[in-house]
Amino acid sequence: MSNSSSITQFLLLPFTDTRELQLLHFWLFLGIYLAALLGNGLIITTIAWDQHLHTPMYFFLLNLALLDLGSISTTVPKSMANSLWYTRAISYSGCVAQLFTFSFLIVAEYFLLTVMSYDRYVAICKPLHYGTLLGSRACVHMAAAAWATGFLHALLHTANTFSLPLCKGNALGQFFCEIPQILKLSCSHSHLRELGLLVVSACLVFMCCIFIVVSYVQILRAVLRIPSEQGRHKAFSTCLPHLAVVSLFAGTSFFAYLKPPSISSPSLDLLVSVLYSLIPPTLNPLIYSMRNRELKDALRKLMEGCI
């Protein structure tokens, strides 16, 4: 038996106990991480470099790329290092920092995706009011609100989680530190308070998802009324990538946190956590660049200028 004051480190869940497969995991995660760094880095550089992309939509996309870079950099490098050095340990302070940073960036991304859906709604359904409703100051305020909400959420949950007495060892059933895994180590009924906070957070995120769905229903109705086929194609090309990103991100993370305990298992938890923590940051740049001609043209010009 131990308590939180005597715990100096936590043990993360390894992907495998075989040394050769640990090295395979290292190289696989390295490839995914480099792809995410390259894709999001190119989007950030392109948007910052090209004056034509200094619009609200691309400003929010730049913020999304920053959040994706931060979230994948919070979990993957530590997991890679553990696989390379054949260890499971993460220090107590390192676990606190990882949980706080990951929660901060993930929640901020949810709210930013909500803001991005509002941007697309105004652009397509109320184009005459776009400059008024989404001026530069309004965009900065909405992006700052998303970041601030994530920060306050992470601060509240991290402080509450690590204030609980931990007496069920220090082994976590996940490859990074997350709130549900820490709560499993608690021996106090006080963990119900944190579960209540998680339910409140889930309700807020669910409200964001409802807002996004309603926005896209209105967008779809407006797009179908556009007489020009070219106009419909342009509208869909800017909205479908965002909808794909939201579906991928929200679907995997909701399943990770709200799945019934009866179907929970270490291997399933590991798979779902990989889906919501690694796949969206890696695929988001590809999703946005595939159907966005402006972004592809700007990226091509940037490459030609570098060459």
Side-chain angles (χ1 to χ4, degrees):
M1 299 290 285
S2 62
N3 55 48
S4 53
S5 62
S6 64
I7 293 178
T8 59
Q9 66 177 15
F10 291 95
L11 300 178
L12 300 175
L13 182 67
F15 280 84
T16 177
D17 293 325
T18 307
R19 181 57 181 160
E20 291 75 13
L21 293 179
Q22 287 272 27
L23 293 175
L24 177 62
H25 158 249
F26 168 80
W27 289 109
L28 178 62
F29 267 36
L30 179 62
I32 293 174
Y33 186 54
L34 291 178
L37 286 180
L38 178 63
N40 288 289
L42 283 174
I43 283 184
I44 293 170
T45 305
T46 303
I47 293 174
W49 172 78
D50 196 319
Q51 296 289 332
H52 297 96
L53 300 183
H54 292 181
T55 62
M57 184 179 78
Y58 293 107
F59 170 73
F60 294 132
L61 180 56
L62 184 146
N63 278 266
L64 179 66
L66 288 172
L67 289 169
D68 282 337
L69 270 182
S71 64
I72 199 169
S73 298
T74 301
T75 57
V76 171
K78 179 58 181 174
S79 180
M80 289 166 51
N82 281 5
S83 293
L84 185 62
W85 302 115
Y86 202 51
T87 181
R88 298 174 54 190
I90 182 172
S91 67
Y92 187 91
S93 58
C95 187
V96 173
Q98 190 180 67
L99 188 147
F100 170 81
T101 307
F102 188 73
S103 299
F104 163 38
L105 296 170
I106 288 295
V107 172
E109 185 160 338
Y110 266 117
F111 282 91
L112 184 67
L113 289 172
T114 306
V115 171
M116 293 173 74
S117 70
Y118 175 71
D119 167 69
R120 291 299 83 205
Y121 166 76
V122 175
I124 293 174
C125 300
K126 300 181 181 294
L128 297 180
H129 303 283
Y130 189 73
T132 305
L133 296 175
L134 283 156
S136 57
R137 180 174 296 182
C139 291
V140 170
H141 287 170
M142 286 189 283
W147 286 82
T149 303
F151 179 84
L152 293 175
H153 170 276
L155 187 64
L156 174 65
H157 282 281
T158 304
N160 194 51
T161 299
F162 284 97
S163 68
L164 301 174
L166 308 177
C167 63
K168 297 181 181 178
N170 64 343
L172 301 178
Q174 191 55 273
F175 77 97
F176 62 93
C177 294
E178 64 174 1
I179 293 172
Q181 298 301 325
I182 302 294
L183 293 182
K184 289 180 181 180
L185 304 180
S186 174
C187 55
S188 167
H189 291 296
S190 299
H191 77 280
L192 296 176
R193 180 181 59 196
E194 175 59 25
L195 287 176
L197 289 175
L198 284 176
V199 171
V200 173
S201 298
C203 291
L204 289 175
V205 170
F206 184 71
M207 289 173 61
C208 290
C209 291
I210 293 296
F211 182 88
I212 292 171
V213 170
V214 171
S215 297
Y216 272 95
V217 169
Q218 297 298 320
I219 288 171
L220 181 61
R221 292 174 60 187
V223 168
L224 293 177
R225 290 197 297 266
I226 297 176
S228 166
E229 183 178 347
Q230 184 178 4
R232 287 197 300 270
H233 175 76
K234 184 176 181 180
F236 275 124
S237 68
T238 59
C239 293
L240 289 180
H242 179 251
L243 193 57
V245 168
V246 171
S247 302
L248 177 66
F249 186 63
T252 52
S253 55
F254 262 107
F255 183 75
Y257 282 91
L258 301 179
K259 66 181 181 297
S262 58
I263 65 171
S264 181
S265 67
S267 56
L268 180 62
D269 291 346
L270 207 57
L271 174 63
V272 172
S273 66
V274 168
L275 287 177
Y276 87 87
S277 64
L278 268 70
I279 303 304
T282 307
L283 290 186
N284 284 357
L286 185 63
I287 292 172
Y288 273 104
S289 61
M290 278 179 61
R291 296 185 61 87
N292 192 310
R293 186 179 298 276
E294 288 181 334
L295 189 59
K296 286 192 290 186
D297 290 343
L299 182 58
R300 189 180 301 112
K301 292 177 182 177
L302 177 62
M303 292 297 184
E304 290 173 353
C306 292
I307 294 174

